[in-house]
Amino acid sequence: MYSLRLWAARHARVFELTYRAFEPVVVKLHPLWKSVGYRRAEKPMGKLERLCKGLLFDCQMCGQCALSATGMSCSMNCPKTMRNGPCGGVLQNGNCEVYPEKRCVWVEAWEGSRKMRGGDAIRVVQLPVDHRLKGSSSWLRVARDASESGERHREAAR
Amino acid sequence: MTIGVDHDKRVSDGLGHSSSGRLERVLRAGQFAVTAELAPPDSANPEEVYARARVFDGYVDAMNATDGSGANCHMSSVAMCALLSRRGYETVMQVSCRDRNRIAIQGDVLGGAALGINNILCLTGDGVQVGDHPQAKPVFDLDSMSLLETVAGLRDKQVFASGRALSDPPRVFLGAAENPFVPPHGFRPHRLAKKIAAGAQFIQTQYCFDLSRFRAFMDQSRDLGLLDKCFILPGVGPLASARTAEWMRRHVPGVHIPDAIIRRLEGARDQRVEGRNICIELIQQLREIEGVSGVHVMAHRQEAYVADIIEKSGVLGDRAPWSPSCNKALEKQHA
Ligand code: SF4
């Protein structure tokens, strides 16, 4: 929802904290995901993620969430799907060149990032979108990547 | 009078140049560079391209061939640049992310470099809604930033975005655009830093009519240590009248024209001449700003006046950029 999306970016700090508390839980649940099977967990988790983030951020489920690097303003809502900052066409009032009645996603992103403790992540160059991941759960990916890299570290330490 | 360096002399990598082009040489030599935007024809006739280029002879170091700018369909940038480089001209191939995905773009970059193109400007591109084909599917597979990284990868790592290796990399000088005149102003210098990190070596900006905004942007960029990491060429251009200026700022995304400029045009006896005078003054003032390495002239439908504007601004001093007549002069000498 558009108004909720604007509200969320304006309270980026709250959502940053929420996610910081939430991420370790999802990662800790790795044994559960593993026993259920990441494939089978994908459907319910994907649905849940789509529901929460869809409502709050108009999340487009790109499957490689960058909200923490975009001031909690989902950059996939930009009509040019810019992942690295605003285009050169932003209107003087901060609205979008394509949808002049809407705020530019990146104006919101910049303002949101200034409210976040880790807001400087907006300065990091983001990779191009991997279109294969569209529709999949970023949360599960984070859980799997974190646990797998943890396992690799432990093995290397052995 | 110094004659522009000749086209085929390859520059050794020892100089730290990434292309063998004249634009990079002029900039690295610390000379004030002039680039101009070349409007592509709605035609399949190469003579139209040459005629459009000829008006800049002797006044510009490189010409940017636009890539469907304003989302309007015209002759392609790669084809224009290829035609022009056959005659020895230095061109900047513009690549926008609007119409092609990463597979098509990388193929075009290799092809363009093989055809003699030395400079590539990486753009996101205007939305299709502003152009003559609003029904078209906007692609935007990459954005300007990931496009820069991809082309830098082709050149420096000699690999495609997929990781597959190339045998011969494209030796190109990489450019990007920036618009310091639109929000979010605080982010713009950081965005410049990102572009430099992604591979940008020169920057051409949107039209600059607001010097104080531009100065603020340059000050912030200097504080971030960016000014010695890339060459910045602010965009300039003559306004035909107060009405055109008003129309442009309403309808062309990203163009910011302060009221003072419009008032000055309105008050002038000959608005066209006044538009050119404003342009000349801006060029002279921009040259004095720390970190400005040249200007990029966008004289839409007023291309014929560019030579005069550059001449009157005096920014070239006694330097004459390369033109086909330089080659003829050389040939005569050797005959
Ligand atoms: S103005 Fe903002 S939201 Fe609109 S296309 Fe440009 S970057 Fe995207």
Side-chain angles (χ1 to χ4, degrees):
Chain A
M1 216 202 301
Y2 178 60
S3 51
L4 215 50
R5 177 218 293 184
L6 293 186
W7 175 84
R10 278 164 204 167
H11 295 82
R13 177 94 183 98
V14 178
F15 290 102
E16 181 185 31
L17 288 174
T18 316
Y19 185 69
R20 278 198 184 171
F22 172 74
E23 192 187 287
V25 177
V26 184
V27 175
K28 277 236 173 71
L29 287 175
H30 171 66
L32 173 69
W33 310 131
K34 217 172 168 183
S35 71
V36 179
Y38 270 93
R39 269 262 194 86
R40 272 171 62 200
E42 182 62 53
K43 226 180 173 180
M45 275 302 269
K47 269 205 178 131
L48 185 67
E49 187 172 337
R50 188 187 291 270
L51 200 72
C52 305
K53 282 163 61 181
L55 186 70
L56 283 168
F57 309 108
D58 273 344
C59 162
Q60 301 295 315
M61 291 297 281
C62 66
Q64 46 224 288
C65 189
L67 279 171
S68 5
T70 63
M72 296 288 159
S73 168
C74 172
S75 63
M76 300 312 276
N77 286 311
C78 158
K80 300 183 187 174
T81 60
M82 309 278 293
R83 295 280 280 191
N84 280 291
C87 74
V90 186
L91 307 183
Q92 288 300 326
N93 63 4
N95 283 9
C96 169
E97 69 156 84
V98 183
Y99 302 121
E101 69 290 348
K102 283 193 178 159
R103 298 288 291 163
C104 163
V105 165
W106 277 97
V107 168
E108 293 298 311
W110 173 247
E111 285 163 10
S113 77
R114 295 306 88 195
K115 299 191 177 111
M116 289 164 63
R117 195 174 292 166
D120 273 353
I122 202 168
R123 296 199 211 165
V124 179
V125 179
Q126 297 288 327
L127 294 172
V129 175
D130 181 340
H131 291 279
R132 291 170 301 183
L133 302 181
K134 190 162 171 56
S136 67
S137 163
S138 292
W139 292 344
L140 279 183
R141 178 157 306 96
V142 170
R144 179 150 50 179
D145 290 352
S147 341
E148 277 174 4
S149 80
E151 272 164 20
R152 266 201 305 277
H153 274 291
R154 276 194 293 280
E155 255 166 45
R158 246 184 257 147
Chain B
M1 196 179 260
T2 38
I3 290 184
V5 267
D6 76 303
H7 185 61
D8 279 327
K9 218 167 111 215
R10 296 274 145 174
V11 183
S12 77
D13 286 322
L15 286 171
H17 290 215
S18 33
S19 74
S20 49
R22 286 191 297 268
L23 178 61
E24 185 175 4
R25 260 183 273 180
V26 165
L27 286 168
R28 290 203 192 275
Q31 283 161 327
F32 194 87
V34 178
T35 58
E37 195 158 286
L38 187 65
D42 295 333
S43 149
N45 182 353
E47 288 312 319
E48 284 196 40
V49 176
Y50 295 129
R52 282 165 192 240
R54 213 168 293 133
V55 298
F56 300 133
D57 275 359
Y59 286 92
V60 308
D61 293 297
M63 288 176 279
N64 282 52
T66 56
D67 179 15
S69 83
N72 291 308
C73 195
H74 307 288
M75 186 190 284
S76 74
S77 178
V78 61
M80 293 228 322
C81 293
L83 285 170
L84 290 166
S85 55
R86 283 190 199 166
R87 299 253 167 121
Y89 284 108
E90 176 86 348
T91 57
V92 179
M93 170 175 152
Q94 297 198 173
V95 179
S96 115
C97 300
R98 182 193 54 236
D99 309 321
R100 278 158 298 162
N101 69 7
R102 62 193 88 182
I103 302 176
I105 289 178
Q106 294 179 88
D108 275 351
V109 167
L110 294 188
L115 288 163
I117 295 163
N118 294 316
N119 312 289
I120 292 188
L121 187 78
C122 299
L123 304 166
T124 298
D126 303 296
V128 294
Q129 85 288 349
V130 295
D132 66 340
H133 291 70
Q135 315 84 345
K137 177 174 186 187
V139 178
F140 298 114
D141 180 29
L142 303 177
D143 62 18
S144 54
M145 207 73 71
S146 43
L147 171 59
L148 277 167
E149 253 191 346
T150 302
V151 182
L154 291 173
R155 184 191 64 196
D156 303 334
K157 299 188 193 137
Q158 304 201 20
V159 290
F160 287 109
S162 64
R164 203 153 50 79
L166 311 172
S167 54
D168 262 299
R171 299 197 55 229
V172 288
F173 189 42
L174 268 184
E178 190 44 74
N179 189 353
F181 311 103
V182 293
H185 297 294
F187 190 26
R188 293 287 165 188
H190 296 292
R191 182 158 164 75
L192 173 63
K194 275 178 102 165
K195 289 202 168 172
I196 293 171
Q201 297 169 294
F202 70 97
I203 300 287
Q204 292 171 320
T205 79
Q206 180 55 277
Y207 281 115
C208 171
F209 291 110
D210 187 342
L211 274 177
S212 59
R213 223 331 120 240
F214 184 70
R215 284 204 184 95
F217 171 79
M218 293 299 276
D219 285 345
Q220 280 170 286
S221 303
R222 187 194 45 227
D223 295 344
L224 291 173
L226 304 177
L227 297 189
D228 41 14
K229 293 195 183 126
C230 73
F231 301 100
I232 298 180
L233 289 77
V236 291
L239 292 164
S241 68
R243 255 186 59 203
T244 351
E246 191 61 61
W247 186 89
M248 275 172 73
R249 73 172 177 180
R250 277 231 182 116
H251 298 283
V252 186
V255 174
H256 162 60
I257 306 174
D259 295 334
I261 297 267
I262 297 197
R263 276 198 302 273
R264 183 169 159 192
L265 284 169
E266 275 166 352
R269 222 173 334 132
D270 187 335
Q271 297 200 359
R272 228 165 232 277
V273 174
E274 191 66 359
R276 301 206 284 272
N277 288 339
I278 293 175
C279 183
I280 293 167
E281 286 167 30
L282 278 170
I283 295 176
Q284 289 166 337
Q285 286 164 319
L286 284 166
R287 181 177 54 174
E288 302 304 320
I289 297 176
E290 183 192 346
V292 169
S293 304
V295 283
H296 176 54
V297 193
M298 296 173 278
H300 186 56
R301 296 214 180 123
Q302 298 206 72
E303 286 87 353
Y305 301 113
V306 170
D308 186 53
I309 289 171
I310 300 296
E311 179 72 47
K312 290 202 174 118
S313 75
V315 285
L316 287 175
D318 61 356
R319 189 172 73 86
W322 181 94
S323 70
S325 61
C326 298
N327 278 16
K328 282 187 199 120
L330 281 176
E331 273 163 28
K332 252 192 213 148
Q333 264 176 30
H334 291 299

